[in-house]
Amino acid sequence: MFVPLCLVFPALTLLFPRGHASLPLVINTWPFKNATAAAWSTLQSGGSVLDAVEKGCARCETEQCDGSVGYGGSPDESGETTLDAMIMNGDTMEVGAVADLKRIKNAIGVARAVMEKTDHTLLVGESASLFAENMGFVAEDLTTNKSMNIFSQWLKGNCQPNYRKNVFPDPSKSCGPYKPRATLKQNKRKRHANTHSHDTIGMIALDQDGHVAAGTSTNGLTHKVPGRVGDSPIVGAGAYADSSVGGAAATGDGDVMMRFLPSYLAVELMRAGADPSAACKTAISRIKRHYSDFFGAIICANTTGHYGAACNKVSGFSQFHYMVSNTESDTPLLKSVDCF
């Protein structure tokens, strides 16, 4: 009598999940199809996984994906658009990242330059912009008519929403400048789960030999306090890659998510034998335990080409869409997962 191995050795279903998998593989957050196609085309034409992630994220920067990636989106409290990005080499564990980058449109390119032209991991602010200019990146205005209009409408609406607390004048009713309150209020302000205020592109690429790279690019949170850095450029938070295991990338409320290093956690769970879907779900659950109404999602992929995703269910966000390219289809496939 034939007995399936998975019944004899249940743990095998964790290590070798059901379902066909194939390499190479590109997977990215949100329905950013052109970014997926750019990364896949790079792999197919002999480019490395790092090339694929850079080209994919750069496509979103150029196309201003959903207004949340690249120039001309998410103006901060002073009306300026600044960019965050990171890229990670899963073979060497090298990382390059930039945060609060001004005047330079190609943030993922600058992040790669940090990795390849310095011994550092993260450069920030004006100094990151000067580094980029010295490396040959063109300085341009990141402001557009659209971003200025978003900013002016926000000012007219008494600077709502904003991300201040324990200051006066009352930030829920007034613009700044703000001063600290003498006593701290203990009541928790409800966070703004706006699915269009922070839609980072996070991407994982694996080649035929299982080499892994991951990266992110975003213009951050609309109306953020100037200088704010979210999860996207933080290694282990925005993304993580290890070619002995796989990779992960997160999107959503970065201020909350970065406190839990969900991408690092997901990769470590896969290292311990969890399949990508289970790893993603556990990483989301860890955050949910403390912030039940946070907005966020994560994608995971392992070196056998299996992949998965998970998201936290909140009002207006019950399903997360992401893109996949592998040898099973000529074009990038739109996938979805129900949030929990």
Side-chain angles (χ1 to χ4, degrees):
M1 184 181 75
F2 173 73
V3 179
L5 274 176
C6 61
L7 295 180
V8 181
F9 304 109
L12 285 177
T13 60
L14 281 177
L15 292 168
F16 305 103
R18 296 179 183 88
H20 186 61
S22 63
L23 293 172
L25 170 70
V26 172
I27 177 171
N28 61 263
T29 56
W30 307 110
F32 301 150
K33 182 177 181 177
N34 291 345
T36 323
W40 181 252
S41 172
T42 301
L43 282 182
Q44 293 300 95
S45 58
S48 68
V49 285
L50 285 171
D51 295 334
V53 168
E54 182 184 359
K55 289 284 192 296
C57 290
R59 176 64 65 90
C60 249
E61 291 171 348
T62 302
E63 296 186 356
Q64 302 166 283
C65 285
D66 216 18
S68 61
V69 182
Y71 70 100
S74 303
D76 64 18
E77 281 187 348
S78 62
E80 186 173 19
T81 294
T82 57
L83 308 180
D84 301 339
M86 71 154 279
I87 192 166
M88 183 167 188
N89 182 336
D91 290 351
T92 64
M93 308 308 284
E94 290 176 296
V95 177
V98 288
D100 193 27
L101 182 71
K102 310 168 196 294
R103 302 191 307 278
I104 309 292
K105 289 183 176 178
N106 183 203
I108 190 75
V110 182
R112 187 168 181 181
V114 171
M115 181 174 70
E116 294 182 342
K117 309 296 184 189
T118 81
D119 287 329
H120 301 316
T121 292
L122 173 64
L123 295 182
V124 302
E126 183 61 27
S127 299
S129 303
L130 291 174
F131 165 79
E133 290 176 41
N134 290 337
M135 291 296 105
F137 291 86
V138 179
E140 303 173 78
D141 190 356
L142 302 187
T143 301
T144 60
N145 289 337
K146 182 181 176 182
S147 66
M148 282 310 300
N149 185 54
I150 293 170
F151 177 58
S152 61
Q153 291 299 316
W154 180 72
L155 288 176
K156 286 177 188 172
N158 294 321
C159 303
Q160 302 302 308
N162 63 64
Y163 298 91
R164 303 280 186 163
K165 64 181 181 182
N166 296 316
V167 294
F168 68 88
D170 184 347
S172 68
K173 299 173 184 173
S174 305
C175 295
Y178 301 105
K179 301 289 184 186
R181 286 174 58 95
T183 55
L184 298 184
K185 282 185 177 178
Q186 291 305 313
N187 60 317
K188 237 182 176 182
R189 278 183 69 189
K190 185 164 176 60
R191 298 191 65 85
H192 318 287
N194 179 354
T195 59
H196 291 285
S197 67
H198 32 22
D199 293 354
T200 314
I201 182 168
M203 179 176 281
I204 309 159
L206 298 92
D207 66 14
Q208 192 64 52
D209 300 315
H211 299 293
V212 186
T216 64
S217 185
T218 185
N219 52 33
L221 191 58
T222 308
H223 315 310
K224 63 193 174 188
V225 177
R228 178 262 188 188
V229 175
D231 62 331
S232 299
I234 306 302
V235 62
Y240 198 73
D242 183 334
S243 293
S244 65
V245 181
T251 182
D253 186 345
D255 291 298
V256 166
M257 296 179 77
M258 69 194 297
R259 301 167 192 172
F260 299 87
L261 299 178
S263 295
Y264 175 77
L265 175 59
V267 170
E268 292 309 303
L269 288 165
M270 289 190 289
R271 190 192 308 277
D275 71 75
S277 293
C280 278
K281 196 167 183 179
T282 300
I284 292 292
S285 295
R286 181 72 59 86
I287 308 169
K288 194 178 174 113
R289 193 184 307 166
H290 297 272
Y291 297 92
S292 59
D293 60 349
F294 88 99
F295 161 63
I298 185 170
I299 54 172
C300 303
N302 65 21
T303 50
T304 63
H306 289 93
Y307 59 85
C311 50
N312 187 39
K313 188 174 183 178
V314 292
S315 177
F317 185 59
S318 60
Q319 199 173 57
F320 171 59
H321 293 89
Y322 61 100
M323 299 301 304
V324 171
S325 259
N326 57 24
T327 53
E328 294 174 19
S329 173
D330 292 334
T331 56
L333 297 173
L334 177 65
K335 301 282 185 175
S336 66
V337 63
D338 291 330
C339 301
F340 70 98

